[in-house]
Amino acid sequence: MTDDRPEAAPPRHPTPAQRPGPPAAAEWQRRPPPGAFGPPGGAGPGRDGGRRSWRNSGSLLTGVTALLLLAFVGVVGGAVLVSMPSARGRPVVFPTFGPPSGAPSPTSAAPAATSAAPPRAAGPFDGTPAATFPQGEAGIVLPAAKRTGPFTEKQVAAALAKVRKVLVTARLDRQFMTGDDPEPLVRQFARDARAGMRKAFASDTFAAYATRLASGARPTADEPRVRGRISYRSTKDDDGIRILAVTTNFVWSYAFRTSSTVPGDALVVVHDTVVWSVPHPDDVESSSAGLWIEDANAYAANVDCAAYDKGLLDLGTHSFDGPDGPDLDAVFDPAATLDLPDTC
C-alpha cells in the first residue's frame, strides 16, 4: 500500500494509494557528535528543520492512502482506511492491524454474530459488541513499562504516558472533537513535528489519528466505548537513530442521536492502528525529542461520506442494502483487518 503519488491533485472520491494522510515519518534534527559542528551549544545539522515530508526523499516516508468503505451489515455509511507506508528500518503496522503472531489478543472477544432478528436497541450501544466495551479512558490500559533496548524503564513509562494523553485528547476529549483548534493536540508532540501536524489539520488527513466532529453532528452525552491494546518495542530508523515505537490498536465507538432503534444505527465506529515514535534523547536535538507519528491506519464505519471527505465524523445515512459489507462483529474487533469494502 505504498504511495508514491504524482503532484496532481487526487480525485474527490479517491481510489487506494491516491488520498493523502497524516504526516510522514520524522526527519529528525539529529544530535551531532561533540565538536562535529562547532563549539558546544552550536546548531546541529538541521536536515530541513526536522520536519516530516509528504513524499519520498532519501529515507523519508511517502504520503498516505485512503479508501472509503461500508460501515455495518445492512447499514450503508462510509468508512475511511488511511494507511501510512513505512521506510527502510521503520516500524511497520501489523498486516491485519491486529496483534502480531504470538501476541495476546484483546481481552473479551466480541460476541458471536446471530442470525436472529436483532432486538430493538434501547441505548445506542445495545445489541452491538460495543455494549461490553469500557467507557472512555477506562478502555486505554497501558502495558507495564520495562527497560527496552537503550530505553530505561522510566523513559518507557514516560513515552507510554505521552501516548495515552494524546489518545485521550485526540479521540475522547469532547471539547477538542467539537472545536476548531488543533493546538491542544499539536503541542503534545515534538516541536519539530508540529508544523507537519498543523498541515494535516489544515486538510482532511488528521482523521487517521484524531476525531473531529462535523458541524451539525449530534453526538449523545454517552462516553465513547473503547477497546484495544498497546505494545512497544525498541528499534532504529535507517539513519541509526534509536526509537521507542509504541503501537496502539483501538476501536472507538461514538454514539449519535437517531430515531432508529436498529442496533448499531446510532454508532460511528473508528478503528485505528497508530505507531507513535519517541527518539532516544541522546540521538536527536532537543527540538526533535518527544512524540512523533510513524505510521497511522484507520477507518471510520457508518460515517457520513461527505463529512469524511473533510476528515470529519457524522452519522451516516442508513438503509438495508449492505449485503456486501463487512461482518458487524469485525467492525468492532481490534484484531480484524482494516481492508473492508468500499461503498461510499
Side-chain angles (χ1 to χ4, degrees):
M1 296 166 60
T2 301
D3 176 18
D4 290 306
R5 296 183 294 110
E7 292 294 334
R12 178 172 177 78
H13 291 287
T15 55
Q18 288 181 309
R19 185 171 176 173
E27 192 177 9
W28 325 101
Q29 282 192 341
R30 186 169 186 171
R31 185 183 296 262
F37 295 95
R47 298 188 61 197
D48 194 27
R51 294 188 296 273
R52 297 177 178 234
S53 171
W54 287 105
R55 287 182 173 79
N56 204 334
S57 174
S59 65
L60 296 184
L61 296 189
T62 61
V64 181
T65 64
L67 177 64
L68 295 178
L69 313 167
L70 173 71
F72 303 128
V73 171
V75 179
V76 170
V80 162
L81 169 61
V82 183
S83 177
M84 292 185 69
S86 60
R88 303 187 305 274
R90 301 297 178 90
V92 180
V93 293
F94 314 131
T96 60
F97 309 104
S101 176
S105 297
T107 58
S108 303
T114 176
S115 59
R120 292 169 62 90
F125 302 102
D126 290 350
T128 74
T132 63
F133 289 8
Q135 298 183 30
E137 294 185 37
I140 308 175
V141 180
L142 295 177
K146 299 179 181 180
R147 182 179 182 88
T148 304
F151 295 89
T152 66
E153 178 180 330
K154 184 177 180 180
Q155 288 173 324
V156 171
L160 291 174
K162 288 178 184 291
V163 169
R164 189 178 193 276
K165 183 179 179 182
V166 163
L167 290 175
V168 170
T169 300
R171 293 299 193 191
L172 298 176
D173 187 305
R174 184 65 64 97
Q175 185 173 354
F176 172 80
M177 292 191 298
T178 58
D180 295 325
D181 184 10
E183 290 304 308
L185 181 66
V186 170
R187 61 174 173 251
Q188 296 181 46
F189 287 80
R191 290 199 305 273
D192 289 336
R194 295 175 189 175
M197 300 291 295
R198 294 184 182 106
K199 184 176 181 180
F201 276 97
S203 65
D204 64 350
T205 60
F206 59 86
Y209 52 85
T211 298
R212 307 304 291 272
L213 300 183
S215 176
R218 301 190 304 157
T220 69
D222 300 272
E223 282 195 87
R225 300 294 178 94
V226 182
R227 171 171 286 166
R229 69 188 297 269
I230 300 174
S231 60
Y232 59 88
R233 68 186 182 100
S234 174
T235 185
K236 292 182 179 181
D237 73 359
D238 52 333
D239 291 322
I241 293 176
R242 297 170 294 176
I243 297 170
L244 185 69
V246 180
T247 300
T248 61
N249 180 17
F250 281 93
V251 170
W252 317 84
S253 185
Y254 302 93
F256 290 79
R257 298 176 192 172
T258 179
S259 59
S260 174
T261 59
V262 176
D265 273 10
L267 302 182
V268 169
V269 180
V270 175
H271 179 186
D272 64 20
T273 299
V274 183
V275 180
W276 317 82
S277 59
V278 179
H280 197 283
D282 292 344
D283 293 358
V284 296
E285 294 288 350
S286 59
S287 59
S288 285
L291 194 63
W292 294 77
I293 292 178
E294 195 75 26
D295 293 282
N297 305 268
Y299 71 76
N302 206 29
V303 71
D304 179 270
C305 296
Y308 218 98
D309 275 350
K310 303 175 183 178
L312 305 174
L313 286 192
D314 199 359
L315 193 63
T317 301
H318 312 298
S319 70
F320 295 93
D321 57 348
D324 296 327
D327 179 77
L328 175 61
D329 288 338
V331 172
F332 289 89
D333 186 357
T337 180
L338 296 182
D339 187 15
L340 300 179
D342 176 2
T343 61
C344 263

